[in-house]
Amino acid sequence: MASPSGGIAKAVTIRDVAAAAEVSIGTASKALNGRGRMRAETRDRVLAAAERLGFRPNPLAQGLLAGRTYTVGLVTGDSFGRFSIPVMLGAEDALGAGQISVFMCDTRDDPIRERHYVERLLARRVEGIIVTGRRTEPRPGIGRDLPVPVVYAMTQSTDESDVSIIPDDEGGGALAARHLLATGRTRIGHVTGPHRFQAARRRAHGLSTALAAAGLEPAGEVLFGQWSEEWGRQGADVLLHAAPDVDAVFCGSDQIARGVAETLRERGRRVPEDVALVGFDNWEPMALGCRPPLTTVDMNLGEIGRLAARHLLAAISGTGDGLLSGSLDGSFGGGTLGGGVTIVPAGLVLRESTRRAVRGG
């Protein structure tokens, strides 16, 4: 607050409000917090004095009086932050409206470190915990009968009683296929990550299902490999050998797509004129660095974080206000979380790599 002289004015305290309203500090506190019995005239006088002086209550002090800390923990195994940071930013958007701060803890995929951080967060009296990671594979929960609600975001608990929020990998694969079909492509290959990953299998299944609905099948075999540019280069070579007339490639990640783009360019195949290209993740440094810029499936990680935070806020407040439509067997009530999985729809970010080719007449 600026003073008339241009300096920083002294913050108005509850002592100042009490003096202006000619009441005790205790009475002023009760009036401002809506607690205790007093005459309406006294309460109104205190509130008027607070407004006149520009008094702003201290949220931390109010929280301590109410037995709250206004903090939640975010536990992640994604050291690089590729997936956890967008989730955290989305969560902060939702939690910020409730004046709640986030403590972020990186477990480095170490179960012992994870247990340590959970214990430390509980010692700090956080009001809830969001668990996130870099893959959607079901993982053991962080513990049963914890004193605070827990939500899993961009990862999935093996405990069906836990709430998990994950991206729609299968829907994203179908979305990519339908887009490529709409641009006139019919010989669509698929280069993706390791078969052991649920995300890779679901994205491949989404593609195959959408193609089957159009009476088609993938060009060549679905090529499972690694989540890397190097595999993208190698996979593109394999695909071009097996299906030389391929006119589009859907890749299981943006990194793979960038490698595929390099091989296509080296083999004299123009993107998108000869071969259209779609990635997955919408990792902007990778997608925008691709030549040409890459059309890609966006998992809506920020939305996953926001929905996780809404679930948590609903449990903390003991209301169902944050409950999501579309969650499977999830429910709130009385400050508890029901179990279930929420699948967040993917989106498609259109860029130059799938532009419809203009054919001369």
Side-chain angles (χ1 to χ4, degrees), residues 114-169:
E114 181 177 85
R115 285 197 298 272
H116 168 75
Y117 278 132
V118 170
E119 290 171 359
R120 296 305 303 153
L121 288 170
L122 293 176
R124 284 179 172 269
R125 296 176 58 213
V126 296
E127 299 187 48
I129 297 175
I130 296 174
V131 180
T132 187
R134 62 178 181 269
R135 60 178 70 95
T136 59
E137 261 61 34
R139 47 145 295 164
I142 62 172
R144 282 178 171 269
D145 302 319
L146 294 178
V148 297
V150 178
V151 176
Y152 296 79
M154 186 54 199
T155 191
Q156 187 174 347
S157 172
T158 53
D159 188 336
E160 295 182 357
S161 66
D162 288 329
V163 170
S164 303
I165 303 174
I166 59 175
D168 188 0
D169 288 306

Side-chain angles (χ1 to χ4, degrees), residues 200-291:
R201 298 192 304 273
R202 286 181 172 174
R203 292 168 193 178
H205 187 259
L207 171 77
S208 298
T209 300
L211 291 179
L216 300 170
E217 58 184 23
E221 294 183 8
V222 172
L223 299 173
F224 292 96
Q226 302 299 318
W227 301 115
S228 68
E229 287 186 58
E230 178 60 28
W231 163 239
R233 290 190 285 270
Q234 296 172 1
D237 261 335
V238 174
L239 178 61
L240 290 173
H241 178 75
D245 58 345
V246 65
D247 61 9
V249 184
F250 168 46
C251 300
S253 76
D254 292 343
Q255 283 180 285
I256 293 172
R258 189 160 169 170
V260 168
E262 290 183 16
T263 292
L264 290 173
R265 188 164 53 249
E266 291 171 359
R267 301 295 180 269
R269 301 293 186 91
R270 299 169 301 164
V271 177
E273 291 83 358
D274 301 322
V275 181
L277 191 60
V278 176
F280 204 107
D281 291 339
N282 193 29
W283 186 10
E284 288 196 349
M286 192 66 59
L288 296 178
C290 193
R291 292 166 44 198

Side-chain angles (χ1 to χ4, degrees), residues 60 72-73 93 101 106 174 202 232 290 340 355 360:
L60 178 58
V72 302
D93 286 345
S101 301
D106 176 16
R202 286 181 172 174
C290 193
R355 187 183 67 246

Side-chain angles (χ1 to χ4, degrees), residues 4-333:
S5 61
I8 303 299
K10 178 185 175 183
V12 177
T13 68
I14 195 170
R15 185 183 298 275
D16 300 321
V17 174
E22 299 180 343
V23 298
S24 69
I25 293 176
T27 298
S29 175
K30 291 177 182 178
L32 292 169
N33 288 295
R35 296 164 40 233
R37 297 177 61 184
M38 67 185 69
R39 291 191 301 170
E41 176 189 345
T42 302
R43 190 184 305 278
D44 291 344
R45 194 165 71 247
V46 171
L47 295 176
E51 183 174 356
R52 185 172 67 252
L53 295 173
F55 174 71
R56 295 291 180 268
N58 184 323
L60 178 58
Q62 287 185 317
L64 291 173
L65 286 171
R68 295 191 60 184
T69 62
Y70 291 96
T71 58
V72 302
L74 187 142
V75 176
T76 178
D78 176 23
S79 301
F80 188 64
R82 164 68 192 91
F83 301 106
S84 60
I85 288 178
V87 170
M88 183 186 72
L89 293 176
E92 284 189 326
D93 286 345
L95 294 169
Q99 299 182 328
I100 293 180
S101 301
V102 179
F103 291 130
M104 184 174 178
C105 303
D106 176 16
T107 70
R108 305 178 196 175
D109 268 345
D110 181 348
I112 295 176
R113 185 182 292 267
E114 181 177 85
R115 285 197 298 272
H116 168 75
Y117 278 132
V118 170
E119 290 171 359
R120 296 305 303 153
L121 288 170
L122 293 176
R124 284 179 172 269
R125 296 176 58 213
V126 296
E127 299 187 48
I129 297 175
I130 296 174
V131 180
T132 187
R134 62 178 181 269
R135 60 178 70 95
T136 59
E137 261 61 34
R139 47 145 295 164
I142 62 172
R144 282 178 171 269
D145 302 319
L146 294 178
V148 297
V150 178
V151 176
Y152 296 79
M154 186 54 199
T155 191
Q156 187 174 347
S157 172
T158 53
D159 188 336
E160 295 182 357
S161 66
D162 288 329
V163 170
S164 303
I165 303 174
I166 59 175
D168 188 0
D169 288 306
E170 185 170 339
L175 190 64
R178 289 194 294 269
H179 171 65
L180 290 170
L181 291 170
T183 63
R185 272 69 178 196
T186 57
R187 295 284 294 159
I188 302 171
H190 187 37
V191 182
T192 190
H195 186 273
R196 69 178 183 275
F197 281 86
Q198 176 177 268
R201 298 192 304 273
R202 286 181 172 174
R203 292 168 193 178
H205 187 259
L207 171 77
S208 298
T209 300
L211 291 179
L216 300 170
E217 58 184 23
E221 294 183 8
V222 172
L223 299 173
F224 292 96
Q226 302 299 318
W227 301 115
S228 68
E229 287 186 58
E230 178 60 28
W231 163 239
R233 290 190 285 270
Q234 296 172 1
D237 261 335
V238 174
L239 178 61
L240 290 173
H241 178 75
D245 58 345
V246 65
D247 61 9
V249 184
F250 168 46
C251 300
S253 76
D254 292 343
Q255 283 180 285
I256 293 172
R258 189 160 169 170
V260 168
E262 290 183 16
T263 292
L264 290 173
R265 188 164 53 249
E266 291 171 359
R267 301 295 180 269
R269 301 293 186 91
R270 299 169 301 164
V271 177
E273 291 83 358
D274 301 322
V275 181
L277 191 60
V278 176
F280 204 107
D281 291 339
N282 193 29
W283 186 10
E284 288 196 349
M286 192 66 59
L288 296 178
C290 193
R291 292 166 44 198
L294 184 65
T295 290
T296 180
V297 177
D298 190 317
M299 292 184 287
N300 286 323
L301 296 177
E303 183 65 10
I304 288 173
R306 281 188 287 274
L307 298 181
R310 284 178 54 198
H311 269 281
L312 212 57
L313 287 172
I316 291 169
S317 65
T319 71
D321 294 343
L323 182 61
L324 303 170
S325 59
S327 61
L328 306 180
D329 301 319
S331 60
F332 290 106

